[in-house]
Amino acid sequence: MNEITIHGNLTADPELRFSPGGVPVLTLSVAVNRSRYDRRNGGYTNLPPVFHRVVAFNQLAENAATSLAKGATVTITGQLADDSYTKDGERRRGIKLEAAEIAASLRYATAQITRNKRPDTDPAPELLPEPATEDEVA
């Protein structure tokens, strides 16, 4: 399996769109800052950031769009996917990360967690029909 985890900052607000079939699709750009230890000067040297394109689908896409904004520090786990296309007759190739999980870092921010009701759960008790009485059964 080609599962990877990245940790970085959102470079822009998440973009939520819907496919023609109505599936929520979220796109993100994440900058991962890097540094390397330099023995010559005895300290760390900053390297250029690496930018990752990320896509998320369904409920994960909607939750992330509602919860995240530009500058947020996130940890994303998912699988690498081919993102090839043709533009102006030229074949272009890229790689994107299809997110399975997106987590906001609480190191420099706070969050209020709200659980979404799962669509496959039982209806609320007040929406269930009243149980039949003995008179109604007979």
Side-chain angles (χ1 to χ4, degrees):
M1 178 181 281
N2 64 354
E3 186 170 278
I4 66 166
T5 300
I6 62 171
H7 181 79
N9 298 319
L10 297 183
T11 62
D13 286 335
E15 254 184 66
L16 180 65
R17 294 188 299 264
F18 292 86
S19 73
V23 175
V25 179
L26 182 77
T27 55
L28 304 167
S29 177
V30 179
V32 176
N33 295 316
R34 305 177 304 143
S35 62
R36 179 175 294 147
Y37 186 76
D38 186 351
R39 289 185 209 168
R40 284 182 278 166
N41 68 14
Y44 285 91
T45 303
N46 289 331
L47 300 172
V50 174
F51 296 92
H52 296 277
R53 292 181 323 152
V54 179
V55 64
F57 301 97
N58 300 314
Q59 190 67 51
L60 177 60
E62 292 183 296
N63 291 347
T66 302
S67 305
L68 301 174
K70 178 181 178 178
T73 303
V74 295
T75 301
I76 301 174
T77 300
Q79 294 186 8
L80 296 176
D82 183 47
D83 192 24
S84 299
Y85 59 95
T86 303
K87 183 175 180 181
D88 300 327
E90 184 180 327
R91 181 88 171 143
R92 298 185 182 209
R93 186 169 181 170
I95 296 175
K96 64 183 173 186
L97 175 60
E98 288 185 3
E101 297 287 337
I102 300 174
S105 172
L106 300 180
R107 187 173 189 181
Y108 301 111
T110 60
Q112 179 68 38
I113 305 299
T114 305
R115 272 189 89 103
N116 292 338
K117 182 168 172 43
R118 293 179 57 176
D120 60 337
T121 59
D122 293 331
E126 63 271 10
L127 302 178
L128 294 174
E130 291 293 322
T133 63
E134 288 182 23
D135 296 335
E136 294 172 335
V137 175

